[in-house]
Every structure is written in structure tokens, then in C-alpha cells.
Amino acid sequence: SPWKPLLLLLSPPAFSTTCARCAKDRRLREKRAISERQLTRYFVDQRKVRVVGGQGGAGGHSFYSEPRKVFGGPDGGNGGDGGHVIFKADQQMKSLSSVFPFYQGFHGKRGGSKNCYGANGAHMYVKVPLGTLVKEDGKVVADLTQHGEEYIAAYGGAGGKGNRFFLSNENRAPTVFTPGEPGQERLLHLELKTTAHAGLVGFPNAGKSSLLRAISRAKPAVAAYPFTTLNPHVGIVHYQDFEQVAVADIPGLIKGAHQNRGLGMAFLKHIERCRFLLYVVDLSVPQPWIQLQDLKHELEAYEKGLSERPRVVIGNKFDLAQSRINLPLLRERIAERVIALSALTGDNLEELLSHLRELYDTYVKTEQSQGQSPVKW
């Protein structure tokens, strides 16, 4: 009918592009906040891995034959080599949680006729974080600290020989060929030591996580109970000249941590890779200088000389009245520089950031003078 086009124009469409209920939400969804206890499932700093290299391909067994050339001789090619299993350091990886307990390289292909060699098996690359130690039977066999650094964990087996390889004047028609060799098999232990420029060291509830939140974009869990942080967090401090300083929040230490008390030695090893230390003490507690003595004792008991690295003492919670009383007493009893601040209110964070940059610049100059490349983030 002549009214049909008009009815089609007036009728509502089958779907709506403007209805909030029907339209597709194109906004990016924010990442859901993950609790610290859930986050421990994603942070793994130890793994046992069995690695097996790919098996080499068997040698070929054939004889060349075509019209008017029946006795062309042996033409079986060699098999391809098996692929290696290679650990490769990647700065995008922050945990060993994505590393599987077993890896095997790809097998080589069998040798073909007409002297065709079999294809080599592809290598199996396993990405690991920077600072990964590879141990075998308790001995360190590799230390992957630079981006792109590789370590061949298991070699692939050599390919077998085809019957063409055994051709000689004494044996003009060899029928012998060899199978490919099996790949190397090893049981390795991977151990991650967080690589950061600075390490926040302090007792539980000293305010390390709050301080890391204040100076970087890291968001470790913060709560008013001990051992809130259950795994190390690394925050990046950005400066105007585009330099980046990595600061690691090491979970709280207690007395006897070097004897595996509390969180124990599980996180003391993460302090080994820090180039300089930031001791965080709670100024509001009685005698805060005793906290500093205990922290140094734990570090020194774990590794001699660890507590003497370039360092600065941070007196946190300066916004409290008791902290203002304890600050001059603390400065009288220790020789290190004390920076009093409040991670909660942000007071005096500029002094910390300025001194942190001084420590970083000194570290860079020292590494360059020794002909080494400093760690960059």
C-alpha cells in the first residue's frame, strides 16, 4: 500500500542505540581492587621446574632411484636437532606465577630422501622476571639481571645420521642409520630476588606501605594490623628529567627474622638486590632508635655488610604529638641522617624525594665508573 513506507519510518527500530539499558558500554572498566591475601596467589618467588630438551630427529634411510639410474646410491639425510629450553629475563614479568613446573623443547624432524635434512626443533623460551636465580643442587648456575638475558636450561638432542653419512669406498650401499639423541633433562630451582634501587625496611605497622603509596602509584594494602603486606611491592618514583627510581616495599621484619621467625627469610632475600636502604621507623613509639638497632641487627645477621649500604633513616608519623618529642632524641643517638615526615598527610615528602634522587645519582656514577651498566626501569 502507499502508506507502507510511512509506517516503516514511524515504527520504532528493533533495537535502540541510545537506550542506556541496550547500548553497549564502551567505557573502560577499572581494575577491581585485589586484597593483599588474594594478591599472594599471583606473587610467587620460588619455583621447581623440570626441563627437558627436544629429542633429535632420526636419520633418513633411502636409496636414490630413477629411470636409467636404478643404483643411485644412498640419499637419506640427517635428522634435525632438538630444540633447547631457554630462560629469558623480561622486565615486564614481576613474578614466577606464570612459570609452569615442566617444559620440553620441540623435537627435530626425521631426515628425508634426496639428502634432505630434517628441520631443527624450535626452542622453548620461558620468560622470567629480572633478578631470577637459577639453581641446580643448591648451586647457582645463572643469575638473570638484565632485560633480554638468556640461559639455556636444557640442550636439545642431536639429530641422527642418515645412511648417506655412512657411505664409503668399502660400503657403497649402507643401510645403517641412527636415531636422534634424547634432550638434556634437568631439575632446576628458580628463585626471585626483587631488583629495585631502594628498599623500604622497617617493622610491621611502621608505615612503609603508606609511604610507598605517597611517593609512587603503587597501591599496597594498608591496615592497622601487623603483616598487612604479605609480598613485596615495587613502586616507581618519576622525576621531571624522566629518570625513574624503583622503591621496593619489603614485608615487615621482626626480631629473629634471620632465624625464620615471622615471615622469616622468605623476604630478607629481596633486600639483597637493593642498592640503597630506607630505614622506616615509627617516631610515635617509645625509644624509636631501638627499632633501628634491631633492624640493622637482623640485616647483618642475614648477610654481613648488608646494613652498611648507602642508607637514610625515615622517621614516619611525624604528624603525631609524641613523634615531635622523640625526633630530637633519635637524632642525638644515631649518626645517620633522619628525615622526619608523615606519609598520611604528605608533610616533608619533598626532602625524601630529593635525597632519594641523590642516592640514585651516586649509585649511577659509581656503576659507570666501574664500567658497569646501572639498572634502569
Side-chain angles (χ1 to χ4, degrees):
S1 67
W3 299 102
K4 189 173 182 180
L6 184 59
L7 290 175
L8 290 175
L9 290 174
L10 295 177
S11 61
F15 60 92
S16 173
T17 58
T18 58
C19 176
R21 185 177 57 185
C22 303
K24 183 178 179 181
D25 187 7
R26 301 178 183 273
R27 292 175 297 176
L28 294 176
R29 294 182 178 178
E30 296 183 358
K31 288 187 176 180
R32 186 178 58 182
I34 301 177
S35 68
E36 189 73 24
R37 201 167 287 276
Q38 288 176 322
L39 199 58
T40 56
R41 295 183 301 172
Y42 302 102
F43 181 83
V44 178
D45 58 359
Q46 291 188 6
R47 274 280 198 237
K48 281 187 178 180
V49 183
R50 187 166 71 94
V51 289
V52 181
Q55 183 169 352
H61 175 261
S62 65
F63 288 89
Y64 185 74
S65 178
E66 67 177 15
R68 300 181 184 179
K69 196 174 183 181
V70 180
F71 301 103
D75 67 344
N78 298 338
D81 297 333
H84 308 324
V85 179
I86 303 174
F87 293 145
K88 186 173 183 178
D90 189 342
Q91 62 184 6
Q92 300 297 328
M93 304 291 293
K94 303 302 178 185
S95 170
L96 294 174
S97 58
S98 60
V99 177
F100 295 111
F102 175 74
Y103 287 97
Q104 184 172 23
F106 293 94
H107 301 319
K109 300 299 183 181
R110 184 184 182 90
S113 59
K114 299 182 181 179
N115 297 322
C116 291
Y117 282 31
N120 294 332
H123 301 319
M124 172 69 70
Y125 284 91
V126 182
K127 292 183 178 181
V128 295
L130 301 184
T132 300
L133 284 178
V134 184
K135 294 183 178 181
E136 185 178 23
D137 297 330
K139 296 181 179 179
V140 178
V141 296
D143 188 359
L144 306 176
T145 58
Q146 301 292 331
H147 177 70
E149 192 174 357
E150 297 180 359
Y151 172 71
I152 300 178
Y155 286 91
K161 304 298 182 183
N163 63 339
R164 171 72 180 182
F165 177 82
F166 299 98
L167 177 64
S168 64
N169 291 331
E170 291 77 17
N171 187 3
R172 305 304 299 172
T175 58
V176 180
F177 65 97
T178 60
E181 295 182 2
Q184 183 184 16
E185 181 175 354
R186 302 171 71 186
L187 182 62
L188 301 175
H189 182 78
L190 302 185
E191 182 178 317
L192 173 61
K193 294 184 178 180
T194 304
T195 301
H197 299 117
L200 293 174
V201 184
F203 281 174
N205 282 29
K208 301 183 301 300
S209 299
S210 300
L211 181 60
L212 188 64
R213 277 174 167 259
I215 64 177
S216 71
R217 295 180 181 177
K219 294 184 178 180
V222 175
Y225 53 84
F227 300 113
T228 310
T229 304
L230 299 176
N231 59 277
H233 290 265
V234 178
I236 308 300
V237 182
H238 299 268
Y239 289 90
Q240 291 183 352
D241 58 353
F242 304 106
E243 285 288 352
Q244 298 180 355
V245 180
V247 181
D249 174 18
I250 309 299
L253 305 179
I254 63 172
K255 290 184 179 181
H258 68 281
Q259 299 174 346
N260 221 19
R261 290 185 59 195
L263 295 179
M265 294 185 295
F267 298 109
L268 272 172
K269 61 188 176 185
H270 293 281
I271 307 176
E272 294 181 37
R273 297 296 176 93
C274 297
R275 273 57 182 184
F276 37 91
L277 303 178
L278 307 179
Y279 291 104
V280 183
V281 297
D282 186 355
L283 283 177
S284 63
V285 301
Q287 299 179 340
W289 50 89
I290 297 181
Q291 282 192 1
L292 183 61
Q293 295 174 1
D294 293 338
L295 288 172
K296 288 185 176 181
H297 173 72
E298 293 301 324
L299 296 185
E300 202 67 25
Y302 176 74
E303 180 182 332
K304 190 174 182 179
L306 183 59
S307 65
E308 299 301 322
R309 291 186 182 180
R311 59 202 177 276
V312 64
V313 179
I314 300 173
N316 195 16
K317 304 183 182 180
F318 189 60
D319 53 309
L320 302 179
Q322 186 63 37
S323 302
R324 300 181 185 276
I325 300 174
N326 291 336
L327 178 60
L329 301 177
L330 175 64
R331 284 175 171 166
E332 289 177 2
R333 286 170 170 78
I334 64 174
E336 291 87 358
R337 178 179 178 178
V338 180
I339 299 177
L341 54 82
S342 173
L344 180 64
T345 62
D347 292 342
N348 209 25
L349 287 179
E350 294 80 5
E351 183 181 355
L352 172 61
L353 296 176
S354 176
H355 187 67
L356 184 63
R357 181 58 189 269
E358 293 176 8
L359 292 173
Y360 173 76
D361 291 339
T362 304
Y363 155 71
V364 171
K365 291 179 182 178
T366 303
E367 292 290 310
Q368 291 176 347
S369 63
Q370 297 176 356
Q372 300 178 359
S373 57
V375 175
K376 296 284 187 178
W377 279 75

